[in-house]
Amino acid sequence: MLGDDFSCLGLRRGAVLAVKQYRVNNVRFRAVGIFESALHVPDDDGIGQYLVERISERTQCDVDLPARIKADFKSYLAANRPTKGNKTKQSDKEKKRKASRGDISENATPVKDADPVADAAAIAAEMGELKRKISVGLEQLIDDRCRLIELQNTHFSEDECAAAALDSLLYHHDGRPGFFHLNRCHGFFTVDDLKSGLVTDDDWEDAPQIKQQCADQLFYLHKKYNTWTPDRADVYDMRSLSHKKKMARAAQNLVDVFRGEQCIMGEEIQDLLSCYAVAAAGASDWAKQSLVCGSFKAAFKIMGIEIDAESLANGCPSLGTIANWEFRLAAGSLASVIHDIKVDAERLKKVDMPLHISLITDHGNRKGVDHLVKVIMWSSIDAKGNRVIRRFNLDIDAGEHTAVGAAEAIKKSLSVLGLEEERDNLRFSHLHGDRGGGGAVQSIFPELQSLEVLHILATWTNCMLHALQKALETASIRTFGKQGMGHKNCFQLCYLAIMLLVTVKKKGGRELLNHYYAKTIEKLMQSDEWQRVGGKSFAIALERFMEDIEEFEDLCDDSIENLIESLESPANLMQPNFGRWGTVSAAAKVVLQNWTQIYFMAETIKKAEKSESYLYKISNSLLELMTAKAYPQQENPTHYISLLFFSAFCQCFFDRHMEWFKRNDPVFGEGSYGQISRLVPEHLHLLLEQFRLLTTDNAWQLLPDFKPFVNAVNGLRELGKDTKGGKEFYVTTTANFFVHFEKCFATQIEQWKKPKVTWMAVAGHPMIVKWLMRKIANDESAPTDLEVPMHHHYMGVGSAPPMVNVRDAVEYITAEQGKEMFEQPFIQEFITELALIADGDGTIDSLDPSTWQGHNLSRLQEGIWNYIAPNSTHQQAAENLVQTANHLAKTNHGEARRTAGAMNHCLFARDFNRWAVGKLRRRKKREIERRREANNEAGVMDDDDVRGDKVRRPEGKQKLKMFIQYSDGILKSITVAKKTLTTARVREIYNNMRTNKHKSSAVVTEEKKTLFNAALQKKLNPKEGKYLNDLTPFINGTVVLSYLNGVNGGRPYLLAELDFRDEKKWRDLTDAQKSSMTDKELRYFLRGLERSRLDSEEGIQHEKDESVTAIKPLSPEMQEWLEEHQVRIMNEKNNK
């Protein structure tokens, strides 16, 4: 290493080099300093004199500048000095450019041709200007020369001189070696001298001794920078060198992590890896560990760093460490929630409001594992100052199925927040859940109030999605029957049809299903027989299929063969179940649209599959239902007609309202999924009004959606009774359907009609709010003809907003309980602001400041966000967490781990999806606004554009990019939140997260232990054992007759067993009769012989042959078969 004294500038023709010598570790080195001057100097004597003066001044010794150097300078000046003939006028820009790089002063005057023999007075006059123009290179030359003189005055031993080869310089130029004696140039030489010193390869090989002596002094011309560098060295500019040092330090930091015997990754890396592992919620810890190890292994490979397997394994997290990391991230998430709740409580305290928190609970059971989910919600302000609704999963435990046990579990989970000190600023004011089961919301609510968890003025609501679905399920079952094995109705037909498609897909993937689907269509289009069968069996379905094909042909300019190949089977199939929202109506739609294809596909599968296969059995049962008719001449199957009615009702009414209850609040934004309670009272009036219009005077029969059903019913005969499946049947069943739906739905929404809930309507439609307040305050009714469009209640994309009569809406909401509604705490607290809305001119929207007409309604706006916005309409958030807990339970994770995983999933998966979709929607809206502005389009944006219904969740690289941005922000907020809490508090949260001590299941476990320990002290009362009269067939050395079939190759052994027994009944049969008997007949014959044997040997009288299910092998052939096959058959039975 030559140190900082080594300096090298670019080489050009006429440049002068200075040789430096200095001592490092008792070894003397030479380096080459390069001087290049672009200055206009007066003459060679002047520059030479200047050099002599400066060097003498520095070294305090006389210096005689060699004449050779003077001549070189004179040649250099002659070659670079401008002449009168080639002078060009420089622009101001060029002068500034040269001045900035030190070539010439901006105000300098071009130098005239100088006379080499000018008198000393002229030279002295220009020396001052010359000194100002001296470049860094010239100063370096002086420094190099001074250093050279100092070194020459130093005395060295002869051994040192010989070892360092002080008189030689080796170099390379353009691939050729050079050799130069320094004592020939007195320390200075030109590039021409270096070129003259270049030798041929032969000369170089002849001087091995010199080469060896001067190995450490070998210099190369660095082509990129045009500089001379010593051997085994390179040249970098400072910026590049700093970057490389930084990268080297980064690589070293990574290597240092894997130098120890255990994982030493920092907390930031722990949280980072844990949040990215949330996407693998159902994966095992070993899978996560492998992904971490593989990622680091790939990073080392890319960097070209070798690392052994042991070091890599030691540096990666262990299985226990991965679990602790998840607990740590969940604890950080909970700490962040605690911090945010405190901040929001302090914010609302300034306006004299407590922070209202709403609860959602759901007690689900998935595959035998109970999951009691508790979610909290409250209104907050995000980092950008926007109002948002926050939700967080507090806990997931087994809980109890009783209301008291569930309430105790909720109380324990809330205690983890540790917000006792903030109790005056907090209020748990709302509970939301399902009406059914042991954890029903109406049962838990009073228990939570008695435990002082919920405020005394709190209220509860039930899930509207459950309410609608329950009404549909009740009406459907009481009209058409239950779904399930042994039931023959349209819903079981849907189940079998979907299962047929799903099973084919499982057998051969999407490719096999598409092949079946396309080939079925191809055959159907080419076969007159199939079309004749279809027209006779299901005329409407076949007509619909042919219309779809014709429409598809019109849209595509391609051959019929390519069209058929491009057709794909239905996708995203879900098994229809009334317990799953929307699955039955979706399945009915698929079956109706593909009725013809499914029918002929089932017929073909039945012929292709063996009778024992599952596909055969499904196809057989499905075809039985698809062909069921009330009488032979019926054009359309009975269950097909039933599905037409059910699907039409769902499409024109049920699905639209179901989707509305799933939407975000149009004002609260994308984070308000399921938080539209303020709009529910007025929407229930709209829903019931539309239902009455649908059913009054059978108006539904005139709707386009019901036209296929009406036509099918009109083609039926009247069979005299409404139970025979004729026209009378559907007249009765449709009326019953509507009656049951309305009755059940009315029961489900009872709570939503009570004043403790309907008061939230004061945050609804501004015109309804205006007259609602007048009604409950002064008993003043709205005009009878006042109708308003309900913009927030659109029924389908692109549809016009429905119109509602204001008087009817207000009468429905108050329901003669206006006085009780007026006394509700929220209305009394904000009565002043609400009075302004009621008495104001025109319409005032409390959530739109542009309509406030100069009034200050900001406190009312804050109250709506705080009191009403967190109240849920449905419990889909809790349902999603139950599914997440089920995935986590598959990896044998306990309650504590499931809770941590669900917390992380709630924050880094569910909330991310809402954040990402919201961001994409805002981006789309800005793009639409810019496009309209560019096209000078007037008017307000369409509802479809504002809602952004076409925006889907991000996928691929876009999703990954957005998740990186989102997770970085969340992790940063967690870090900030932890700093606001004490270290002891953070540690307490972490420790509580890792155990079940704060869960209700821990209490139940201790109670069970206590009862068991007490039972151990009781006197033992053993019962007398029962002796077995019979053992299982295989243990008892018998063969189950059902296994003796053609699949297991049992026929030869059946014949051998019958021959061995040599009974008279068998001997009396001829060989032809024996050969013609089927396997089933042979088994039945053998069963009768076995029954006779048991009756005679064991004294047990069997009433009939069917009571004998197994035989004891008597023939050697049958005994051999039993020995070979019983293990395999038992395994197959267990697997089933």
Side-chain angles (χ1 to χ4, degrees), residues 679-752:
L679 301 176
V680 169
E682 60 191 46
H683 189 83
L684 287 177
H685 164 70
L686 174 65
L687 184 152
L688 294 176
E689 190 67 22
Q690 289 184 350
F691 184 81
R692 293 190 186 99
L693 291 175
L694 185 71
T695 57
T696 302
D697 297 330
N698 292 327
W700 57 271
Q701 296 181 5
L702 303 178
L703 297 178
D705 292 325
F706 285 94
K707 184 178 179 180
F709 170 74
V710 173
N711 292 338
V713 172
N714 290 336
L716 294 175
R717 297 177 184 176
E718 293 185 358
L719 301 180
K721 289 186 178 181
D722 57 8
T723 59
K724 292 187 176 182
K727 184 179 293 186
E728 306 93 331
F729 169 77
Y730 288 103
V731 173
T732 303
T733 54
T734 52
N736 290 338
F737 181 90
F738 291 126
V739 170
H740 289 304
F741 184 91
E742 185 177 20
K743 183 178 180 180
C744 181
F745 188 68
T747 304
Q748 293 292 323
I749 63 172
E750 286 179 351
Q751 181 65 18
W752 285 95

Side-chain angles (χ1 to χ4, degrees), residues 368-631:
V369 181
D370 288 325
H371 308 288
L372 178 59
V373 175
K374 310 114 182 175
V375 181
I376 58 173
M377 288 163 297
W378 73 99
S379 64
S380 182
I381 304 292
D382 65 11
K384 295 183 178 180
N386 301 318
R387 293 183 182 273
V388 294
I389 298 174
R390 294 286 307 278
R391 56 171 57 88
F392 187 76
N393 169 49
L394 270 183
D395 193 7
I396 293 180
D397 57 18
E400 289 189 48
H401 289 278
T402 63
V404 176
E408 290 285 353
I410 294 172
K411 182 178 181 180
K412 282 183 173 294
S413 298
L414 290 175
S415 65
V416 177
L417 293 173
L419 297 174
E420 289 76 12
E421 298 179 357
E422 304 288 336
R423 195 67 180 178
D424 295 337
N425 299 328
L426 296 176
R427 183 177 296 177
F428 291 94
S429 58
H430 187 80
L431 178 67
H432 184 82
D434 189 13
R435 287 173 55 94
V441 59
Q442 69 271 19
S443 302
I444 297 177
F445 179 77
E447 299 297 336
L448 287 175
Q449 281 192 322
S450 64
L451 293 173
E452 298 184 352
V453 174
L454 291 176
H455 192 265
I456 189 63
L457 299 177
T459 186
W460 65 272
T461 54
N462 57 296
C463 175
M464 284 305 306
L465 296 182
H466 275 98
L468 265 175
Q469 187 69 25
K470 192 64 179 178
L472 180 68
E473 179 183 3
T474 301
S476 299
I477 290 176
R478 294 186 178 181
T479 301
F480 301 109
K482 292 183 178 181
Q483 173 188 330
M485 293 182 63
H487 297 280
K488 297 181 179 181
N489 53 51
C490 57
F491 304 120
Q492 183 63 12
L493 185 151
C494 284
Y495 174 82
L496 292 173
I498 297 300
M499 284 304 300
L500 178 70
L501 300 176
V502 170
T503 305
V504 172
K505 186 178 178 181
K506 287 182 178 179
K507 295 288 185 180
R510 185 83 180 162
E511 179 183 357
L512 182 63
L513 181 58
N514 288 337
H515 177 80
Y516 281 11
Y517 190 78
K519 289 300 180 182
T520 301
I521 295 177
E522 181 180 3
K523 176 70 174 179
L524 182 59
M525 295 178 64
Q526 296 174 353
S527 175
D528 295 337
E529 180 185 1
W530 279 26
Q531 294 180 15
R532 185 171 58 255
V533 172
K536 184 179 179 180
S537 302
F538 36 83
I540 295 179
L542 181 64
E543 181 182 357
R544 184 175 186 176
F545 165 78
M546 299 306 294
E547 290 176 355
D548 292 342
I549 291 296
E550 290 176 3
E551 182 180 354
F552 193 67
E553 290 177 351
D554 295 338
L555 295 175
C556 302
D557 299 329
D558 209 338
S559 64
I560 189 65
E561 291 79 8
N562 292 335
L563 280 176
I564 293 173
E565 290 297 329
S566 65
L567 293 175
E568 293 187 354
S569 61
N572 301 324
L573 301 171
M574 295 185 64
Q575 296 179 7
N577 187 338
F578 280 110
R580 288 185 170 184
W581 304 328
T583 57
V584 179
S585 59
K589 184 177 180 180
V590 170
V591 172
L592 288 174
Q593 288 178 344
N594 300 274
W595 180 280
T596 305
Q597 300 92 304
I598 292 173
Y599 173 84
F600 287 108
M601 186 188 297
E603 283 281 10
T604 308
I605 290 174
K606 185 178 177 181
K607 296 176 182 178
E609 296 287 333
K610 296 181 179 180
S611 59
E612 295 84 2
S613 71
Y614 184 55
L615 274 174
Y616 179 93
K617 295 177 181 178
I618 293 178
S619 300
N620 191 54
S621 300
L622 176 61
L623 290 171
E624 181 183 352
L625 295 177
M626 294 184 79
T627 56
K629 294 182 178 181
Y631 54 91

Side-chain angles (χ1 to χ4, degrees), residues 4 11 123 255 374 396 426 520 664 668 874 1037 1045 1099:
D4 295 334
L11 280 174
I123 296 175
V255 173
K374 310 114 182 175
I396 293 180
L426 296 176
T520 301
N664 298 317
F668 296 162
H874 63 72
N1045 51 43

